[in-house]
């Protein structure tokens, strides 16, 4: 049965890449090794591809030294491992190494005689040399940390053993491809089609005819004395002003026509003409959107609020709201034909909030707004709307949007227009 603490450590260990198997290396250099080896020592060996720490259990004479590797984990993996002090010994991984391999290392620590006897007596019950079968955690762990014997050097290079059987195939394929390209080029150049290509390329050159040299143009000498041009005869011109005379029709024919003389279509009866500019209306073509600030100043802009003496607050310094403020928006028709209407907007005063109103320029000819502050801290805006002749103003002719401060910045909420 596996230890839960070991499983946790194994999962952390497995987050990294899988380590290569432990193998021995041929001795390359000498160093200040602790050559005198004795039972009970915990040594780290030099001739391995990764560090190997093990306990020297007993002397096997000509066979070498029997060792028990030390686990890199802080908890035993199963009952086949033994924890003595702060170290965990892999009893199932006990093996015999050569005397030369054991002497090429350094002494790390030493176990007492009692602890050494405990480890030596528990090796037989762990069945050393046998690896757990299957694909479980314990099987993967034992296969990855299994230690060989002797010098631990494999008979053949593992990289050579893992090389593909047909390692010569990729270079051969490259040589074959190069040969095929050469044969194709030779066929194009030497066969009939190739010769035709060469002839066409040769015939594409044309001879260039060089024109005969033109005769040299002689330039006149710049210092040559030429005859002076003849003088122009004097002309006597009379500059005395004379009275202008007019022989055409009477000047009355060319007078500008008066407005009353201009003939044009008459306005049908019952249709009134609005002089937008005189009445204070704005055209959606010039100003397609209008803004009403819902601050305590009850103004349609910062300057208006200051002028009214209100405490205007910008959205950047306003306190964020958890939900959009409730706003009432109603469209009331001014006449039966629907050519005039009134848009009424009312809301509690909220610092940093504002309402934008956009108008359909194909329907609305002009608009004007009046903003007032009602009792109880409410802001009311009334828009007077005028439609083009033959058009009718409806709630869809305007688009109202509420902009209010939230914890994530300004939020835009569409406002429905009632009737």
């Amino acid at each position: 049965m596996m230890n839960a603490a070991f499983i946790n450590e194994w999962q952390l260990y497995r987050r990294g890449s899988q380590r290569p198997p432990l193998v021995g290396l041929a001795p390359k250099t000498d160093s200040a090794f602790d050559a005198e080896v004795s039972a009970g020592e915990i040594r780290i060996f030099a001739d391995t591809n990764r560090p190997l720490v093990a306990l020297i259990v007993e002397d096997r004479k000509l066979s070498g030294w029997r060792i028990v590797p030390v686990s890199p984990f802080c908890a035993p993996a199963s009952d086949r491992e033994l924890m003595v002090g702060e170290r965990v010994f892999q009893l199932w991984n006990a093996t015999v190494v050569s005397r030369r391999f054991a002497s090429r290392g350094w002494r790390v620590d030493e176990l007492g005689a009692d602890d050494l006897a405990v480890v030596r007596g528990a090796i037989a019950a762990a069945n050393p040399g046998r690896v757990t079968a299957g694909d479980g955690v314990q099987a993967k762990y034992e296969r990855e940390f299994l230690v060989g014997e002797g010098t631990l050097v494999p008979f053949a290079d593992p990289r050579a053993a893992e090389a593909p059987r047909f390692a010569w195939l990729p270079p051969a394929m490259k040589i074959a491809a190069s040969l095929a390209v050469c044969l194709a080029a030779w066929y194009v150049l030497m066969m009939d089609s190739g010769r035709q290509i060469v002839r066409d390329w040769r015939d594409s050159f044309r001879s260039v005819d060089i024109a005969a040299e033109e005769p040299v143009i002689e330039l006149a000498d710049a210092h040559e004395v030429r005859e002076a041009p003849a003088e122009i005869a004097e002309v006597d011109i009379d500059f005395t002003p004379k009275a202008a005379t007019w022989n055409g029709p009477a000047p009355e024919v060319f007078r500008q026509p008066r407005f009353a003389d201009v003939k044009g279509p008459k306005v049908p009866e019952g249709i009134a003409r609005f002089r937008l500019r005189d009445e204070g209306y704005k055209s959606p073509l010039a100003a397609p959107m209008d803004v009403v600030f819902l601050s305590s100043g009850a103004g349609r802009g910062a300057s208006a609020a200051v002028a009214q003496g209100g405490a205007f607050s910008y959205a950047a310094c306003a306190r964020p709201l958890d939900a959009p403020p409730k706003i009432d928006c109603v469209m009331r028709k001014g006449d039966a034909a629907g050519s005039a209407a009134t848009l009424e907007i009312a809301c509690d005063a909220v610092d940093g909030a504002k309402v934008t109103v956009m108008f359909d320029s194909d329907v609305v000819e002009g608009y004007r707004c009046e903003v007032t502050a009602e009792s109880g801290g409410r802001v009311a805006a009334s828009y007077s709307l005028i439609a083009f002749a033959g058009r009718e103003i409806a709630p869809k002719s305007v688009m109202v949007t509420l902009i209010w401060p939230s914890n994530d910045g300004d939020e835009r909420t569409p406002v429905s227009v009632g009737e």
Side-chain angles (χ1 to χ4, degrees):
M1 183 176 180
M2 299 195 66
N3 192 320
F6 169 80
I7 294 178
N8 294 334
E9 287 191 73
W10 174 260
Q11 290 175 351
L12 294 175
Y13 165 81
R14 271 300 184 183
R15 289 185 179 180
S17 58
Q18 185 175 359
R19 299 194 306 177
L22 179 69
V23 294
L25 303 175
K28 295 182 179 179
T29 59
D30 291 330
S31 182
F33 301 116
D34 297 332
E36 297 295 330
V37 182
S38 60
E41 292 180 351
I42 298 177
R43 300 176 67 90
I44 182 170
F45 304 100
D47 299 333
T48 54
N49 60 336
R50 53 185 173 87
L52 173 62
V53 181
L55 169 66
I56 305 297
V57 177
E58 59 181 343
D59 187 359
R60 289 294 182 91
K61 304 303 179 182
L62 296 178
S63 299
W65 293 91
R66 193 177 191 184
I67 65 172
V68 176
V70 177
S71 173
F73 300 97
C74 298
S78 63
D79 54 359
R80 301 181 65 192
E81 294 186 352
L82 179 64
M83 186 172 186
V84 178
E86 296 181 354
R87 293 186 177 88
V88 177
F89 296 93
Q90 300 172 338
L91 303 179
W92 56 271
N93 208 6
T95 185
V96 178
V97 297
S98 65
R99 305 188 75 84
R100 178 180 177 84
F101 180 85
S103 62
R104 291 179 59 82
W106 299 271
R107 185 182 299 107
V108 177
D109 199 354
E110 186 174 1
L111 285 185
D114 296 337
D115 293 337
L116 178 61
V118 172
V119 174
R120 186 182 301 172
I123 293 177
N127 296 321
R130 296 183 182 180
V131 179
T132 304
D135 292 329
V137 176
Q138 184 174 351
K140 293 180 180 179
Y141 160 67
E142 292 181 0
R143 285 197 300 268
E144 187 168 342
F145 287 87
L146 182 64
V147 178
E149 59 182 6
T151 60
L152 310 186
V153 179
F155 293 104
D157 189 355
R159 291 174 297 178
E162 296 175 359
R165 182 176 301 177
F166 301 99
W168 51 269
L169 186 58
M173 293 296 293
K174 295 180 182 179
I175 296 175
S178 302
L179 182 60
V181 172
C182 295
L183 291 176
W186 177 81
Y187 176 81
V188 170
L189 294 176
M190 301 306 298
M191 296 296 126
D192 294 339
S193 60
R195 289 197 296 271
Q196 183 63 33
I197 293 174
V198 174
R199 285 196 296 269
D200 294 343
W201 176 73
R202 183 183 57 195
D203 295 341
S204 63
F205 294 95
R206 296 290 184 271
S207 59
V208 180
D209 296 332
I210 301 176
E213 295 183 359
E214 297 291 339
V216 179
I217 300 176
E218 295 182 359
L219 301 178
D221 188 1
H223 301 284
E224 183 179 356
V225 180
R226 299 181 179 180
E227 296 180 358
E231 295 182 358
I232 301 176
E234 295 183 358
V235 179
D236 189 7
I237 301 176
D238 187 7
F239 293 96
T240 303
K242 297 181 180 180
T245 59
W246 175 256
N247 298 325
E252 287 78 6
V253 179
F254 299 98
R255 66 181 177 82
Q256 294 293 331
R258 293 177 299 175
F259 182 78
D261 298 336
V262 178
K263 305 297 181 182
K266 295 183 179 181
V267 179
E269 296 181 1
I271 298 179
R273 284 184 176 271
F274 293 94
R275 301 187 65 182
L276 302 180
R277 186 173 301 176
D278 296 342
E279 298 293 335
Y281 285 88
K282 294 182 180 179
S283 173
L285 298 176
M289 185 179 71
D290 197 55
V291 180
V292 177
F293 290 91
L294 302 178
S295 63
S296 56
R300 300 180 60 238
S303 59
V306 174
Q308 296 176 9
F312 181 81
S313 299
Y314 291 95
C317 59
R319 183 176 60 184
L321 304 178
D322 297 332
K326 184 179 180 181
I327 183 170
D328 299 328
C329 186
V330 180
M331 174 79 73
R332 304 185 188 278
K333 294 185 178 180
D335 54 10
S339 60
T342 302
L343 177 64
E344 297 180 356
I345 302 174
C347 179
D348 292 336
V350 179
D351 290 341
K354 57 186 176 182
V355 174
T356 61
V357 184
M358 295 189 68
F359 307 91
D360 187 356
S361 59
D362 294 334
V363 177
V364 180
E365 184 179 5
Y367 67 90
R368 65 182 180 184
C369 178
E370 181 179 357
V371 180
T372 59
E374 298 180 357
S375 60
R378 289 180 62 85
V379 178
S382 178
Y383 282 90
S384 299
L385 308 178
I386 300 175
F388 286 101
R391 300 295 177 91
E392 181 179 355
I393 297 178
K396 64 180 181 180
S397 302
V398 296
M399 184 174 66
V400 183
T401 304
L402 172 65
I403 302 176
W404 54 281
S406 68
N407 293 325
D408 298 330
D410 285 348
E411 295 285 347
R412 287 169 168 79
T413 304
V415 179
S416 60
V417 181
E419 290 185 303

